[in-house]
């Protein structure tokens, strides 16, 4: 199973709808990025790996996932922020 198929299957599970998934691939064309995003991935990093780019992408999506989780908790009335 390739990463695109795995991502689609993960996204079918409600509990994983907001899990950050980042493609890491040697495919650097715009069409490759679009394929990754259309399969449900959040971002696309190309190889050879740029460590700063990787950390930036991970930080961006982890922060977004945390913010979304806080919003969901507040909507549920829990009041928890951590």
């Amino acid at each position: 199973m390739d990463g695109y198929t795995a991502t689609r299957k993960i996204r079918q599970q409600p509990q994983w709808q907001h899990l950050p998934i980042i493609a890491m691939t040697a495919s650097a064309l715009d069409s490759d990025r679009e394929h990754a995003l259309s399969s449900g991935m959040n971002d696309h990093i190309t190889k050879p790996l740029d460590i700063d780019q990787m950390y930036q992408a991970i930080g961006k999506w982890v922060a977004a996932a945390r913010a979304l989780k806080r919003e969901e908790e507040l909507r549920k009335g829990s009041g928890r922020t951590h």
Side-chain angles (χ1 to χ4, degrees):
M1 176 183 309
D2 64 24
Y4 306 113
T5 303
T7 299
R8 285 187 205 95
K9 293 208 177 276
I10 290 167
R11 294 294 186 223
Q12 290 173 356
Q13 305 297 315
Q15 70 271 30
W16 303 118
Q17 290 292 312
H18 303 294
L19 175 73
I21 301 175
I22 302 170
M24 188 179 299
T25 178
S27 303
L29 300 176
D30 286 340
S31 60
D32 298 317
R33 178 179 173 75
E34 289 305 315
H35 190 207
L37 298 177
S38 69
S39 72
M41 295 182 190
N42 299 88
D43 215 331
H44 178 267
I45 300 172
T46 57
K47 296 176 190 174
L49 185 61
D50 176 328
I51 299 295
D52 291 332
Q53 180 189 26
M54 180 188 73
Y55 283 131
Q56 183 179 23
I58 291 170
K60 175 174 120 178
W61 292 107
V62 167
R66 285 182 178 157
L68 184 60
K69 183 177 180 180
R70 280 191 297 267
E71 285 178 27
E72 289 174 351
E73 289 174 348
L74 289 173
R75 268 185 266 153
K76 290 178 184 178
S78 71
R80 282 187 48 205
T81 58
H82 301 293

